[in-house]
Amino acid sequence: MIPVRGVEGTRIAVLGLGRSGLSAARALKAGGAEPLLWDDSEDARDKAAAEGFTLHDPSRREAWTGVAALIVSPGIPHLYPEPNRWIAAAIDAGVPVDNDIGMFFRSLATPDWDSFDIPPRVVAVTGSNGKSTTSALIHHCLLASGRESQLAGNIGRGVLDIDPPGDAGVVVLELSSYQTDLARALTPDVAVFTNLSPDHLDRHAGMGGYFAAKRRLFAEGGPDRAVIGVDEVEGRYLANQMGEGPGDDRVIRVSVDRKLEGPGWSVCARKGFLSETRKARQVASVDLRGIRGLPGAHNHQNACAAYGALRALGLSPKQIEEGFRTFEGLPHRSQIVAEKGGVTYVNDSKATNTDAAQCALEAFDRIRWIVGGQLKDGGLTPLKGHLDHVVKAYVIGRHAHETALEISQIPHEVCETMAVAVARAAAEAQPGETVLLAPAAASFDQYDNFERRGEDFAAEVATLPS
């Protein structure tokens, strides 16, 4: 646990008692504060009370009197589409609003660090797609090279649940826009921006607000090194803002669209080969084509971003390549769950938007595509020019018939349920083909989350004959 610093003797409210809320409450208590907890869910409140925490009803007239701060869980809106009523009340009362990420950054360094030969470092990864894989890949390569590493944030453990890092230890954080938007402190040593595509636009009042939330990690965080994907205009703008000139190697530019020219530091992947360039000279390369845990151009982009961060941390190209080759990928992200009868079954349930689904569809040849769920704004229209590899689609979801109309230009079958979709795809698949779950939609019409959807896919595949 990372005890929160600077809170001794204060009363601090915590709103939202999921993983991050409860870990924040424990860390506040360890730091000498009195946490005051609330959640709209009675079950969540009961769980907190059973752990010995004080419940604090924010609807009471004097609820904010004597409260030093409000710590908010990431799923609760603080500004758009409209502020949560209790956050609005705290703001009106002049109570500072923060989250567990802000508390982490202001509490991580301790006097013990003065005795370390090499101070611990924090790598923070954000972006629209690929940030989980990039974070996990960085963590994996650090461990494979013998370095101490902990993975937390939007993946793995809550940031305040981790152990205090030791000499030369590294903390790798995956940070969502919800987390970067509200944190009052952001001070990573290395910050990574993977890419940007439309997502969570209601929460950020549009694309500009969404990018601004990501940008805070860099503009306000002031990292020593910034690894930035520049295949979108926002990334190019961000890299320009962070650099002092073309040769400033504090910025490592990443691309899978083109070879980057100039005297700066860049990492690119083209046709399956990653290359590192510094001062206009190639200094290292990695053949990514045979790495099972990193299939497709989107994973090659993740590999480039991870490579840049790892080089900034001092790992050699050889150490990084060895780590890449033992990386097995993450569940629900281009995860190979089985190979039966010459057919490969891939779970990419995390492809909850069309950009992520497009990456998956371009990573494999001859695809039996399981698609559908709770479609986002724009539906499947952005995918219409990217379906060349699809042999046939199998449509799931409560609105499967409506979804099927959006892909009427390709062979398709309305299945509605995962069980039917997997059975039909398996029955028709030929050796060399891939049955791919890449829904291009949220899961909430049929499942609690994308993980449960991916687990259902894997369970149905497991029932198929070998």
Side-chain angles (χ1 to χ4, degrees):
M1 179 188 296
I2 306 292
V4 179
R5 296 168 61 82
V7 296
E8 188 172 356
T10 63
R11 302 169 75 237
I12 297 182
V14 178
L15 181 63
L17 303 179
R19 182 188 68 179
S20 66
L22 282 176
S23 68
R26 297 180 191 115
L28 284 163
K29 186 175 181 179
E34 179 188 359
L36 307 172
L37 277 56
W38 190 256
D39 193 292
D40 289 341
S41 164
E42 185 176 354
D43 289 344
R45 297 197 300 269
D46 289 345
K47 181 178 179 181
E51 199 171 322
F53 287 114
T54 300
L55 298 179
H56 185 75
D57 186 348
S59 67
R60 294 169 48 210
R61 178 175 297 180
E62 303 299 323
W64 302 106
T65 302
V67 174
L70 171 63
I71 306 305
V72 178
S73 292
I76 303 174
H78 60 276
L79 193 57
Y80 302 112
E82 63 182 26
N84 172 276
R85 55 179 173 164
W86 308 130
I87 296 176
I91 291 172
D92 288 343
V95 174
V97 179
D98 200 355
N99 61 15
D100 62 332
I101 303 300
M103 292 195 299
F104 167 84
F105 276 112
R106 84 168 188 236
S107 304
L108 183 62
T110 68
D112 294 338
W113 287 26
D114 293 338
S115 64
F116 290 161
D117 291 330
I118 302 176
R121 304 180 77 184
V122 177
V123 179
V125 180
T126 195
S128 295
N129 297 310
K131 56 185 179 291
S132 294
T133 296
T134 300
S135 301
L137 184 56
I138 293 169
H139 172 65
H140 172 82
C141 290
L142 286 167
L143 293 178
S145 70
R147 297 279 294 272
E148 175 196 316
S149 179
Q150 298 181 80
L151 181 64
N154 202 45
I155 184 175
R157 303 161 70 184
V159 293
L160 295 168
D161 275 340
I162 68 171
D163 300 322
D167 197 346
V170 180
V171 177
V172 183
L173 302 181
E174 179 197 335
L175 298 181
S176 72
S177 58
Y178 295 178
Q179 293 168 310
T180 59
D181 197 19
L182 189 59
R184 296 171 72 91
L186 290 166
T187 55
D189 297 283
V190 179
V192 179
F193 177 86
T194 58
N195 51 56
L196 197 76
S197 60
D199 208 359
H200 309 304
L201 299 189
D202 58 335
R203 179 69 179 263
H204 298 290
M207 197 68 175
Y210 179 48
F211 175 53
K214 303 286 189 184
R215 180 180 173 274
R216 289 192 73 240
L217 182 64
F218 298 82
E220 298 185 31
D224 296 332
R225 280 257 161 70
V227 181
I228 301 175
V230 295
D231 287 337
E232 293 88 28
V233 64
E234 293 89 353
R236 293 192 288 276
Y237 172 78
L238 181 59
N240 178 269
Q241 285 208 314
M242 297 302 295
E244 293 297 329
D248 187 352
D249 68 0
R250 291 174 300 175
V251 178
I252 303 174
R253 291 169 171 82
V254 168
S255 176
V256 292
D257 280 354
R258 63 194 187 283
K259 181 179 180 181
L260 298 175
E261 306 288 348
W265 193 351
S266 64
V267 183
C268 305
R270 301 182 68 199
K271 298 181 179 180
F273 287 90
L274 178 153
S275 62
E276 176 190 1
T277 302
R278 300 185 73 171
K279 298 180 180 179
R281 299 180 64 182
Q282 182 173 306
V283 296
S285 65
V286 178
D287 185 352
L288 301 172
R289 293 173 301 174
I291 299 178
R292 183 181 174 91
L294 296 169
H298 62 303
N299 274 313
H300 294 173
Q301 183 182 57
N302 299 334
C304 288
Y307 183 98
L310 291 161
R311 291 289 281 144
L313 292 171
L315 269 66
S316 70
K318 183 178 179 181
Q319 288 175 307
I320 298 170
E321 181 174 2
E322 289 173 351
F324 282 2
R325 295 200 178 281
T326 57
F327 181 66
E328 296 183 354
L330 288 178
H332 318 297
R333 298 161 176 86
S334 294
Q335 175 194 16
I336 298 175
V337 298
E339 293 178 353
K340 299 186 176 187
V343 177
T344 302
Y345 294 83
V346 177
N347 167 22
D348 205 338
S349 184
K350 185 61 170 64
T352 58
N353 58 43
T354 54
D355 282 324
Q358 177 185 330
C359 291
L361 290 168
E362 292 175 348
F364 305 97
D365 295 323
R366 296 193 59 78
I367 295 168
R368 302 278 173 173
W369 179 31
I370 298 178
V371 58
Q374 191 177 81
L375 297 182
K376 298 186 177 181
D377 290 347
L380 300 179
T381 301
L383 291 174
K384 287 189 175 179
H386 304 278
L387 303 178
D388 293 346
H389 295 180
V390 177
V391 178
K392 184 177 178 180
Y394 304 82
V395 188
I396 62 172
R398 291 183 181 175
H399 304 287
H401 288 277
E402 291 89 336
T403 301
L405 294 176
E406 299 204 29
I407 52 172
S408 58
Q409 76 273 29
I410 62 172
H412 62 275
E413 181 175 336
V414 173
C415 298
E416 296 187 343
T417 68
M418 186 70 72
V420 173
V422 170
R424 293 294 301 138
E428 297 182 345
Q430 301 297 312
E433 294 182 344
T434 298
V435 175
L436 171 67
L437 170 65
S443 59
F444 304 123
D445 62 326
Q446 291 182 313
Y447 301 94
D448 290 340
N449 49 53
F450 73 83
E451 292 96 339
R452 183 67 193 91
R453 178 171 60 189
E455 290 163 0
D456 191 20
F457 171 76
E460 293 296 337
V461 171
T463 67
L464 299 172
S466 298

